[in-house]
Amino acid sequence: MNRWAKRVGIAVGAFLLLNGAAFLLIESGEVVVLRSEPENELLARLWVVDQGGYPWVGTANPSKTRWVAALREDPWIRFTRGGVTECRNAAFVDDRTIGGPLGDLVETKYRIPLYGSRFLKFTQCNRLDDAEAIWFRLEPCV
């Protein structure tokens, strides 16, 4: 019995350690912060890519992310990148063809952090459909 308890303890400890390492790996890439305007409530910490002179954020699982509904309801946000906070308007882009080029930019920019993301998705049994991915272009406030 004692041997099994040690083995289970080692397995659980290794699992927790790997999950912690995966989380740290995700945070090692450039992460931006989106906050609601004017309440300053945290909406999300996300990876960002630049395309056409604008920063873009997105998700492959919009039905399970609170921030997507928040941006659709009120697109005015506080966008913090590199310690600089700006007012931005989150413009939803309903063009599915933009996902390919933006996904390629994410793959290039976040190659190493993506390993952590994929590991966490696997351990949490998240099955994501790239066809469901949605993107927001973060335009300066007028």
Side-chain angles (χ1 to χ4, degrees):
M1 177 72 175
N2 196 10
R3 252 189 246 168
W4 285 107
K6 284 182 182 179
R7 288 179 183 167
V8 168
I10 289 171
V12 168
F15 178 78
L16 292 175
L17 181 66
L18 287 172
N19 274 282
F23 179 77
L24 290 175
L25 201 56
I26 288 171
E27 290 290 318
S28 69
E30 180 186 25
V31 177
V32 297
V33 177
L34 304 183
R35 293 185 174 277
S36 63
E37 182 72 45
E39 299 86 15
N40 201 30
E41 175 189 342
L42 177 67
L43 297 176
R45 293 177 50 82
L46 303 166
W47 291 339
V48 62
V49 292
D50 295 295
Q51 172 77 9
Y54 295 102
W56 291 75
V57 296
T59 182
N61 202 351
S63 64
K64 294 186 178 182
T65 51
R66 180 181 61 91
W67 64 269
V68 170
L71 288 186
R72 286 181 189 255
E73 185 177 308
D74 185 8
W76 301 101
I77 59 164
R78 292 182 188 184
F79 170 70
T80 303
R81 183 181 198 179
V84 177
T85 301
E86 303 172 333
C87 176
R88 292 286 177 147
N89 179 38
F92 169 69
V93 178
D94 195 21
D95 179 3
R96 295 289 179 191
T97 62
I98 194 70
L102 292 174
D104 291 343
L105 288 172
V106 169
E107 284 283 338
T108 302
K109 183 175 181 180
Y110 297 100
R111 182 171 313 270
I112 302 299
L114 274 168
Y115 291 123
S117 176
R118 289 179 182 133
F119 178 79
L120 290 175
K121 288 174 188 167
F122 172 75
T123 61
Q124 296 171 8
C125 298
N126 284 338
R127 302 291 179 249
L128 303 179
D129 184 3
D130 288 338
E132 294 297 315
I134 60 168
W135 292 93
F136 290 89
R137 180 178 56 237
L138 302 178
E139 302 170 343
C141 292
V142 180

